[in-house]
Amino acid sequence: MGRAPCCDKANVKRGPWSPEEDSKLKAYIEQHGTGGNWITLPQKVGLKRCGKSCRLRWLNYLRPNIKHGEFTDEEDNIICTLYMSIGSRWSIIAAQLPGRTDNDIKNYWNTRLKKKLLLCNKQRKDHRPRTGYNHNKVDMMKEQEDFFATHQTTNNAYSWSPQQILFSTLIAPQNHDLAECSANSHNFQYSSTDQAYFSQDQLCQISSTNHLASMNPVNGATCNSSVMVSGGAYYPSNGVCNNGLQEYNNYISVGLDHDVLNSTSTGHSQQVDKSVLEMVNSSTISTTSQDQSTSWEELSPLVNYPPSVFETVSPYYVFEEPRYLGLLKQ
DNA sequence: AAAATCAGCAACCGCAGTGAA
DNA sequence: TTTCACTGCGGTTGCTGATTT
């Protein structure tokens, strides 16, 4: 037996809403509220619309304080940062942008922001050589030194942006008992329970279960603020968690070893992970329903990696030997 | 000027989660 | 404990105006 339809599709109006319908719905809800039941609402209002359609119209267009029009740079940054961290969880992202709807943000990302990012990336590539798998070792050494010079702090803790940490969790192995990579003064471990522990600094514990990555302080670490409302994400910075969004631009850009990513896939439910794997496997990611695509080569430099992941016995070999990441069984 | 293509966005669809009965 | 109505979400579709050929 199939699911009962939410309304009689033959007798409901579809397509764009007329101003009259808008004003009827708006007036009714402002006076009576939704009554907690969208299905019966159209009848009460006197509209030949599906309840779901009414709900959507109200939430995306009619409700008060909806912001339409251009997104600000700050909004762009928030969307990008959260997308890199949690993927296409539009409702969560929308919760961080007052007045914006998930639908708005989704459309904005799919039609404009993604292209904008790619354009930025292209311009950046024009100005500096790309780091990556084939990057020469001297350049990589210099880049790492620059990064650590910028990020290492007095108590020997690095600053991590939330997406650096969360993304590293997303690419963590799911089926391995325990993968570990250690270097310098830092250890970085992944367990098969999809959690990552910072064993050296004992700052945070990450879990990305239930589609939502989150981090919680352990062993006396302090956290001042949460980056994501729903996820309760924290990250360490100088032993204290600050606002990671401000640090979004302080990233180290690295190329991807496709073997590493291919080795991390099975059974992973994270949407970011899924899209990454799609990109890796097909070399392209679909951006719209039309035949437009964005190559992984273009997007990969936009994804940030925690420096520790790339620290190994010899950090300069890490790009050539995925097993050093602890992501492949040896 | 007309046709084709593109871009933006509102709206729809179907699935999963939730809670009441 | 199970069933089912309802809600919310993310992916997709298709319409419309703008731009290009």
Side-chain angles (χ1 to χ4, degrees):
Chain A
M1 190 176 77
R3 183 188 181 80
C6 65
C7 55
D8 180 3
K9 295 206 188 297
N11 289 320
V12 294
K13 190 184 166 195
R14 298 172 64 184
W17 281 64
S18 68
E20 292 75 31
E21 289 176 309
D22 279 347
S23 56
K24 265 187 176 178
L25 181 62
K26 194 160 187 263
Y28 184 90
I29 293 179
E30 281 174 352
Q31 198 175 350
H32 303 99
T34 63
N37 189 335
W38 286 104
I39 299 300
T40 58
L41 192 75
Q43 217 171 6
K44 293 177 192 165
V45 179
L47 290 170
K48 286 196 164 182
R49 287 277 181 179
C50 172
K52 286 176 88 168
S53 179
C54 292
R55 176 184 161 270
L56 211 62
R57 187 64 180 170
W58 172 255
L59 291 177
N60 288 339
Y61 199 81
L62 297 176
R63 83 183 140 101
N65 303 320
I66 288 286
K67 215 192 285 180
H68 291 291
E70 281 302 297
F71 282 69
T72 65
D73 288 345
E74 189 186 357
E75 287 175 317
D76 284 0
N77 286 338
I78 293 172
I79 294 168
C80 290
T81 302
L82 290 175
Y83 185 88
M84 291 302 178
S85 296
I86 62 175
S88 55
R89 313 290 307 280
W90 304 117
S91 59
I92 295 173
I93 295 173
Q96 310 305 307
L97 301 171
R100 300 293 187 184
T101 68
D102 51 358
N103 205 41
D104 247 5
I105 294 168
K106 179 173 58 181
N107 284 331
Y108 181 57
W109 171 264
N110 284 331
T111 59
R112 289 198 271 175
L113 195 50
K114 198 186 277 180
K115 290 170 196 166
K116 198 170 160 183
L117 273 177
L118 291 172
L119 186 66
C120 288
N121 182 43
K122 265 201 166 69
Q123 286 169 348
R124 206 183 63 192
K125 275 202 294 194
D126 290 343
H127 286 93
R128 68 184 266 238
R130 165 124 180 261
T131 48
Y133 187 78
N134 295 319
H135 202 57
N136 80 52
K137 291 174 184 178
V138 175
D139 285 349
M140 285 198 299
M141 193 183 307
K142 176 77 173 68
E143 192 137 345
Q144 285 206 356
E145 281 167 3
D146 287 349
F147 182 92
F148 294 129
T150 306
H151 289 77
Q152 195 163 14
T153 58
T154 50
N155 66 352
N156 208 33
Y158 293 115
S159 300
W160 297 59
S161 70
Q163 64 273 31
Q164 285 172 332
I165 292 169
L166 296 177
F167 196 85
S168 71
T169 306
L170 302 185
I171 65 171
Q174 302 302 297
N175 297 323
H176 301 176
D177 292 331
L178 184 69
E180 177 180 352
C181 51
S182 61
N184 299 344
S185 60
H186 289 261
N187 288 340
F188 198 89
Q189 295 183 336
Y190 295 115
S191 74
S192 58
T193 57
D194 199 16
Q195 292 183 324
Y197 299 92
F198 296 84
S199 57
Q200 171 67 29
D201 293 317
Q202 297 294 310
L203 291 173
C204 291
Q205 177 184 357
I206 311 173
S207 64
S208 61
T209 55
N210 201 22
H211 297 274
L212 192 60
S214 65
M215 297 172 59
N216 300 299
V218 296
N219 288 13
T222 55
C223 289
N224 288 338
S225 65
S226 163
V227 175
M228 286 181 290
V229 168
S230 306
Y234 299 93
Y235 74 106
S237 170
N238 305 340
V240 176
C241 299
N242 299 309
N243 183 350
L245 301 181
Q246 293 165 1
E247 297 191 17
Y248 177 58
N249 292 323
N250 296 331
Y251 56 79
I252 183 168
S253 169
V254 298
L256 283 177
D257 187 322
H258 289 202
D259 290 335
V260 172
L261 285 159
N262 279 326
S263 73
T264 67
S265 56
T266 331
H268 213 230
S269 59
Q270 284 284 354
Q271 291 184 24
V272 167
D273 191 40
K274 193 174 147 201
S275 63
V276 164
L277 290 164
E278 276 170 9
M279 283 190 277
V280 170
N281 289 332
S282 66
S283 296
T284 60
I285 179 172
S286 173
T287 55
T288 69
S289 53
Q290 281 121 24
D291 188 27
Q292 300 165 345
S293 65
T294 305
S295 77
W296 172 243
E297 293 298 321
E298 296 286 329
L299 275 175
S300 62
L302 302 170
V303 179
N304 306 324
Y305 289 82
S308 291
V309 171
F310 296 98
E311 293 172 35
T312 67
V313 175
S314 174
Y316 314 112
Y317 294 126
V318 68
F319 300 105
E320 297 169 17
E321 293 292 343
R323 67 172 181 275
Y324 287 135
L325 299 179
L327 298 175
L328 292 176
K329 280 185 172 171
Q330 298 193 33

